């Protein structure tokens, strides 16, 4: 059967840079180590005055379509995943198509457009929808444009403020893809949770500590479902494991638990037995608390082993290279983790073609999804085109006062007037309001 998957990726980062250790930590009276060592974050990317989820999505998409030599006629679907939508009826994909039609010949009038919502996991769900549409043979030779775009802002002084970020990831989904082919096997872990939600409000209500527990619980469920579904989870069989990355510290916590789960009853557990013993099994304990204490002790010891450190260094650490500089991009987060991992692998000259990735997506509320992807022969050329590191380096650093003002600019309830801090060039910009309250966009040469 023809492979279906990601044929191209482009990333657009918000143009402003808030340095967490140098600028944010002192203003919050915090030790910088909380951000850099604890959360694993160095800076956040934030949108300038003229940027929003539409401009970032349209700018990433324009670059992707141009690079792939495509016209609107080649696109049969535009799916946008976001949890920062400003419109409860008109999907963001229509705004994005409107932008692109300003610069491309033709239009997207025959493309099916929509918007996906399930917190951060909706980026992966949109990918899934596109995959299923092509697999069902309803695409008539056309490709799907899947975009994950968010401005992840929290209420000022919410603990989540440290993890903010803004950016978009545009992905082209097609037959015979150049980057990765998606597998059919999937695992889900899904439950009605109230850990992070936005009931008719722009900024989330968050129970941060609980959200971390829910993330871990749903990931575990998804992993077990994936295994029941025939999915292979032997840790040595994956070159990279991109996780949803609200902040790298969260992934550090998930990775050691995942590794413990996946080495159980494998030769890796046997080889480590001499050093740290075998994993505690519940049947060996009369008391659940004693069992859980033993598991905690084993996990801490496992995290200190060379076997774990080598595995983490090879499969997980490379996926964090973008997130640690840009923060949480919600729906785009796991997709920048994939791109970061592939970009690091390319730089190191790793041969990944034909090898597998295990992709672990998550959205609060809450649902985790796990699937495998196989890296395709064209991945090196595709990944070499990414310019996200240049974007990160050329962001405009902002001081705390500017940060406070820019947070207000993007706060739907605040009235503020601020001059942009950067000058747009060759990109779509927000250009004021239309007669029905719609946002308007224009292309700046
Ligand atoms: C995550 C919290 C709760 C943390 O906020 P907090 O409570 O202010 O931070 P903390 O005090 O727990 O410190 C964070 C870590 O830094 C350490 N630390 C402290 N000081 C230092 C120091 N000097 N030197 C070194 N380390 C230091 C500290 O020990 C801790 O590490 P841990 O104990 O957890 O390993 C907050 O940022 C938050 O509420 N974030 C938003 C929610 C979130 O990101 N949850 C993640 C899971 S849910 C998810 O991923 C879904 C999401 C959020 O993306 C939304 C969606 O799906 O739509």
């Amino acid at each position: 059967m023809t492979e279906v998957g990601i044929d191209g990726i482009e990333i657009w980062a918000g143009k402003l840079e808030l340095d967490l250790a140098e600028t944010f930590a002192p203003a919050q009276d915090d030790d910088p180590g909380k951000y850099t060592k604890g959360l694993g974050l160095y800076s956040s990317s934030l949108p300038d005055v003229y940027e929003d989820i539409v401009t970032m999505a349209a700018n990433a998409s324009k670059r992707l379509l141009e690079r792939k030599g495509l016209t609107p006629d080649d696109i049969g679907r535009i799916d946008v995943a976001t949890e920062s939508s400003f419109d409860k009826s008109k999907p963001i994909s229509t705004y994005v198509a409107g932008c692109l039609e300003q610069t491309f010949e033709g239009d997207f009038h025959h493309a099916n457009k929509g918007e996906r919502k399930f917190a951060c996991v909706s980026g992966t769900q949109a990918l899934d929808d596109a995959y299923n549409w092509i697999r069902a043979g309803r695409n008539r030779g056309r490709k799907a444009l899947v975009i994950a775009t968010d401005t992840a802002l929290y209420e000022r002084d919410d603990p989540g403020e440290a993890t903010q970020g803004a950016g978009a990831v545009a992905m082209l989904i097609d037959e015979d893809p150049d980057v990765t082919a998606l597998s059919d096997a999937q695992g889900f872990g899904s439950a009605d949770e109230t850990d992070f939600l936005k009931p008719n409000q722009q900024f989330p209500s968050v129970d941060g500590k609980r959200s971390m527990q829910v993330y871990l619980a749903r990931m575990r469920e998804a992993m077990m479902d994936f295994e029941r579904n025939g999915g292979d989870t032997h840790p040595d069989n994956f070159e990279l494991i991109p996780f949803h990355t609200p902040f790298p510290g969260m992934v550090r916590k998930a990775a050691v638990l995942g590794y413990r789960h996946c080495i159980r009853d494998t030769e890796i557990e046997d080889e480590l037995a001499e050093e740290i013993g075998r994993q505690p099994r519940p049947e060996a304990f009369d008391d659940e608390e004693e069992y859980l204490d033993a598991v905690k002790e084993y996990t801490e010891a496992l995290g200190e082993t060379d076997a774990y450190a080598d595995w983490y260094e090879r499969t997980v650490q490379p996926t964090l290279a973008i997130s640690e500089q840009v923060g949480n991009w919600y729906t785009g987060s796991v997709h920048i983790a994939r791109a970061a991992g592939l970009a690091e692998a390319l730089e190191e000259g790793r041969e990944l073609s034909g090898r597998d990735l295990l992709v672990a997506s998550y959205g609060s509320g809450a649902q985790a999804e796990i699937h495998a992807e196989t890296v395709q022969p064209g991945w090196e050329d595709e990944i070499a085109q990414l310019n996200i590191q240049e974007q990160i380096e050329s962001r405009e650093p902002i001081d705390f006062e500017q940060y406070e003002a820019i947070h207000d600019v993007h706060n739907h309830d605040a009235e503020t007037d601020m001059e942009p801090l950067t000058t747009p060039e060759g990109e779509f910009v927000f250009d004021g309001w239309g007669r029905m309250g719609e946002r308007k966009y224009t292309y700046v040469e």
Side-chain angles (χ1 to χ4, degrees), residues 3 178-183 232 234-242 311 314-315 338 342 345 349-359 371-380:
E3 302 282 14
D178 282 342
V179 184
T180 61
L182 271 64
S183 70
D232 167 29
H234 191 290
D236 289 348
N237 292 347
F238 296 98
E239 289 293 325
L240 293 166
I241 307 187
W311 171 83
R314 184 175 63 87
T315 61
R338 180 199 293 102
L342 291 172
R350 280 168 69 179
E351 185 39 71
L352 296 194
S353 190
R355 305 281 300 161
D356 286 344
L357 315 182
L358 191 66
V359 181
H371 70 262
E373 295 178 8
T374 305
V375 180
Q376 299 298 294
W379 75 279
E380 284 145 311

Side-chain angles (χ1 to χ4, degrees), residues 75-348:
I75 303 298
R77 266 184 98 95
I78 306 181
D79 292 313
V80 170
T82 184
E83 51 180 297
S84 323
S85 185
F86 47 76
D87 196 314
K88 288 208 173 90
S89 173
K90 185 175 149 60
I92 295 303
S93 49
T94 61
Y95 288 92
V96 173
C99 286
L100 296 173
E101 284 169 0
Q102 294 180 33
T103 60
F104 283 88
E105 288 283 329
D107 59 52
F108 295 94
H109 286 201
H110 303 294
N112 186 7
K113 307 182 188 85
E115 190 168 308
R116 254 291 188 173
K117 179 176 75 178
F118 195 147
C120 304
V121 78
S122 64
T124 298
Q125 290 181 316
L127 205 63
D128 227 25
D129 293 341
Y131 172 85
N132 293 337
W133 171 70
I134 295 175
R135 264 289 157 83
R138 304 181 82 181
N139 59 321
R140 292 184 261 141
R142 295 176 304 165
K143 305 154 203 318
L145 178 60
V146 169
I147 310 161
T149 182
D150 271 299
T151 297
L153 290 180
Y154 288 75
E155 199 84 64
R156 294 293 315 283
D157 295 327
D158 184 289
E161 201 180 0
T163 66
Q164 296 177 135
V169 182
M171 292 171 278
L172 193 70
I173 313 307
D174 197 6
E175 286 163 312
D176 291 324
D178 282 342
V179 184
T180 61
L182 271 64
S183 70
D184 282 340
Q186 274 180 307
F188 292 97
S190 190
D192 176 10
E193 298 278 7
T194 45
D195 55 325
F196 172 112
L197 54 156
K198 301 178 180 177
N200 286 325
Q201 63 199 45
Q202 182 188 2
F203 300 130
S205 297
V206 196
D207 183 341
K209 298 287 180 208
R210 214 179 101 65
S211 75
M212 295 165 71
Q213 293 311 316
V214 176
Y215 176 115
L216 297 174
R218 302 288 81 80
M219 279 290 188
R220 182 167 180 272
E221 266 177 13
M223 182 71 100
M224 287 162 72
D225 192 43
F226 180 69
E227 286 167 340
R228 270 197 302 273
N229 197 3
D232 167 29
T233 56
H234 191 290
D236 289 348
N237 292 347
F238 296 98
E239 289 293 325
L240 293 166
I241 307 187
F243 280 87
H244 167 58
T245 311
F247 53 92
M250 184 72 238
V251 173
R252 278 201 303 264
K253 289 183 199 300
V256 69
L257 300 186
Y259 189 73
R260 188 190 74 207
H261 177 87
C262 295
I263 64 166
R264 196 170 302 141
D265 295 324
T266 68
E267 73 291 357
I268 303 177
E269 184 186 15
D270 296 341
E271 282 158 21
L272 284 170
E274 213 168 290
E275 194 180 340
I276 57 170
R278 289 179 63 75
Q279 299 197 20
R281 304 303 204 259
E283 52 277 13
F285 293 82
D286 293 331
D287 182 82
E288 201 191 340
E289 213 168 299
E290 270 176 36
Y291 165 64
L292 293 176
D293 284 348
V295 170
K296 191 162 177 267
E297 203 179 305
Y298 178 86
T299 310
E300 279 165 11
L302 180 65
E304 298 296 319
T305 61
D306 289 346
Y308 176 73
D310 291 348
W311 171 83
Y312 184 86
E313 196 61 30
R314 184 175 63 87
T315 61
V316 181
Q317 182 63 37
T319 69
L320 306 176
I322 301 176
S323 292
E324 61 193 21
Q325 299 296 339
V326 303
N328 192 356
W329 286 9
Y330 288 161
T331 55
S333 160
V334 69
H335 306 293
I336 53 178
R338 180 199 293 102
L342 291 172
E344 294 262 308
L346 179 66
E347 214 174 291
E348 287 164 15

